[in-house]
Amino acid sequence: MRDPAAAVPTIGVEEEFFLVDPDTRLIVPAGPAVATRAAGDAGDRATQEFALCQVEGRTRPCRSASELRRELEQARGALVAAARAEGARLCASGTAVLQEAGPVQVAEHPRYRAGRLQYRSMMDDFAVSALHVHVHLPDRELAVRTANHLRPWLPLLIAATANSPYHRGLDTGYASWRTVIRHRFPCLGPPPYAASWQEHERLAVTIADTEAMLDARTPFWDLRPNPRLPTLEVRAMDVLPDLDDTVAFAVLLRALVRTAADRGRAGDPGPRWEAEVLRAACWRAARDGWSGDAFHPATGRSRPVADIADELVDLVRPALEEAGDLDEATGLFDRLAGRGDGATRQRAWAAAGAGPAAVVDRLVAATARGTGGGVSGRPEW
C-alpha cells in the first residue's frame, strides 16, 4: 500500500527582494553587504542577486506547508535583520517602486558581465524580483511532459501573483510590469513545447546559437526542469509580500505538478499551445491581473481569472487533499477575491497615503511581518 506522505514530493521556494533606503525609499546597492551579514544566520539560504539592490532568500526542500512556512520565516527573518543592520529595508515588489535615473548597478560576476555584453541597453533596468517554486521531479523526460501541461496555466499564475504596477515612481498601467520587462527578452517567457527531453535540449541549443540565450545549459524560461536541481521550477510569479500567499502558491503548484505528472506518466503529451499564443496570453495577464479576464488553458478563450482559479482547484483537488493543502489553496483565492492582487493593493496604498513612498512603506512592513530568526543550513535536494 502506498504511503501518502512518501508520494508527496518536496517543494522549495526562492524569493527575490529589493533593498530600499528607509528615508528616501529609493533602492540602494546594499545587496552584497546584506547577503554576507544574513549568511551568518541563514547560511547560503541568503544570497546576492544579479542587481546590487537585491538579495535572495531560499528554503530547504520541504514536505509540508507548515515546514515551508517556518523555512520562509527564518530566511526572510535573517534578511530583514541584516538589511536593518546595514541601514536598509527589505521590500517584496516585482519591480522597484522608486529608483534613481540611470542603469541598474550589477554584481561583478562573469555571467552578469556576459549578459551586459550580449543584451546591452536591455539590461539597464533589468532589476526584477520573482517568486520561484521548485517541485521535486528528477525524471527529465517526465519533467518536460509535465511542463507541457503547465504551460497554459502560466497566464493564471501571472495574473494571480501580479505585484508590480509601479516602476521608477510611475504607475505603468500594468498589474505585473516585471512580466513586461522579462518578456522583452527573446529567451524569457513561456517555454516552447517539447515532445521530449532531447527536443527540449535541441531547442535550447538552437536558441543559444542565435545569441538570444546566454547559455543553453541554463535557460531562463518561466517554466523549466532546473539545470542544477532535480526539480521542475516555476518562475512566472512576482515576489509576494505576504508569507501565507507564498506558501499557498507553492503547495498549489506542487498539486498542479503532481496532477500533470500523472497525466504525463499515462502517456498524455500535453496540449500543444503555440508559444506565440501563450506569450500573448501572458501579456494580457500582466496587464490586467486578478481582476481581469485571462486565457483559459483548455479552450484558449478569455474567462474571468477567478473562474479559472476555481477550475484549477477542482482539477488538483485530489493532490491537495492528499497533501493536506486544500485549505491553503482555497484560502489563497478567498483572500484574492476579498482584497485583490498585489497591484490592486499597491495602488490603494498609494491613493490612501503619500503616493509611491507610501507603497514602499507598506510593502516593507508586509515583507517583515511574521518573520523570525534565521538558522544555518544548506539546501539539499
Side-chain angles (χ1 to χ4, degrees):
M1 182 176 179
R2 185 176 73 169
D3 177 4
V8 177
T10 54
I11 47 177
V13 164
E14 297 167 352
E15 296 182 296
E16 297 165 351
F17 301 102
F18 286 104
L19 295 162
V20 300
D21 183 285
D23 297 320
T24 67
R25 283 83 162 190
L26 296 168
I27 56 173
V28 290
V34 171
T36 299
R37 183 181 288 271
D41 285 330
D44 67 354
R45 286 184 292 159
T47 65
Q48 191 175 331
E49 255 298 317
F50 168 78
L52 295 183
C53 60
Q54 291 176 282
V55 287
E56 178 182 283
R58 54 192 181 185
T59 72
R60 296 185 184 96
C62 299
R63 187 72 65 181
S64 66
S66 59
E67 182 184 3
L68 180 64
R69 184 176 282 103
R70 287 193 300 271
E71 286 277 321
L72 287 167
E73 288 172 351
Q74 291 165 355
R76 272 203 199 191
L79 289 169
V80 166
R84 286 184 173 273
E86 295 294 334
R89 299 292 185 269
L90 203 68
C91 183
S93 181
T95 50
V97 178
L98 290 170
Q99 180 179 346
E100 290 182 334
V104 171
Q105 298 180 57
V106 300
E108 279 299 316
H109 186 284
R111 188 177 69 186
Y112 304 158
R113 289 196 298 270
R116 181 70 77 179
L117 286 171
Q118 196 151 318
Y119 297 115
R120 304 172 190 181
S121 287
M122 290 180 72
M123 302 299 295
D124 286 352
D125 64 348
F126 190 68
V128 294
S129 291
L131 164 65
H132 296 170
V133 175
H134 293 257
V135 182
H136 187 250
L137 191 60
D139 183 329
R140 294 304 208 199
E141 287 290 342
L142 180 59
V144 169
R145 293 197 299 273
T146 302
N148 289 337
H149 287 276
L150 262 67
R151 291 169 72 243
W153 291 100
L154 290 173
L156 171 65
L157 299 179
I158 290 169
T161 60
N163 185 43
S164 51
Y166 291 97
H167 183 56
R168 296 181 182 263
L170 299 175
D171 187 334
T172 64
Y174 282 73
S176 176
W177 191 248
R178 170 190 160 272
T179 299
V180 175
I181 290 175
R182 276 182 53 82
H183 287 197
R184 293 182 314 195
F185 289 78
C187 61
L188 304 183
Y193 181 96
S196 65
W197 173 248
Q198 182 179 16
E199 183 178 358
H200 177 277
E201 294 279 85
R202 179 187 63 79
L203 288 166
V205 168
T206 302
I207 293 171
D209 194 50
T210 71
E211 297 192 0
M213 182 185 293
L214 274 177
D215 186 349
R217 296 167 296 181
T218 312
F220 286 97
W221 290 315
D222 285 350
L223 174 66
R224 67 179 185 179
N226 185 274
R228 296 181 298 104
L229 302 171
T231 66
L232 186 61
E233 181 184 7
V234 188
R235 305 162 49 85
M237 297 83 68
D238 286 359
V239 69
L240 300 171
D242 294 341
L243 275 170
D244 286 344
D245 293 349
T246 299
V247 171
F249 269 105
V251 297
L252 181 68
L253 284 169
R254 173 168 64 182
L256 179 57
V257 169
R258 291 187 67 196
T259 303
D262 285 346
R263 292 186 174 186
R265 291 187 186 96
D268 185 343
R272 292 178 177 265
W273 287 110
E274 298 85 350
E276 295 85 355
V277 170
L278 292 183
R279 199 172 187 91
C282 288
W283 169 83
R284 182 175 183 180
R287 187 190 68 181
D288 297 342
W290 173 261
S291 62
D293 289 355
F295 174 90
H296 190 282
T299 68
R301 303 297 298 273
S302 294
R303 292 280 305 282
V305 172
D307 291 352
I308 300 172
D310 287 342
E311 291 189 33
L312 174 58
V313 171
D314 288 342
L315 173 68
V316 303
R317 185 179 296 271
L320 288 170
E321 290 176 338
E322 185 174 8
D325 293 333
L326 182 60
D327 288 346
E328 292 280 357
T330 56
L332 167 69
F333 291 130
D334 287 345
R335 289 192 295 275
L336 282 166
R339 74 183 185 208
D341 55 27
T344 300
R345 296 171 75 194
Q346 287 196 33
R347 288 182 173 122
W349 293 337
V359 173
V360 175
D361 291 343
R362 294 293 294 270
L363 285 168
V364 166
T367 303
R369 191 176 299 121
T371 58
V375 297
S376 61
R378 179 180 180 84
E380 293 179 358
W381 295 93

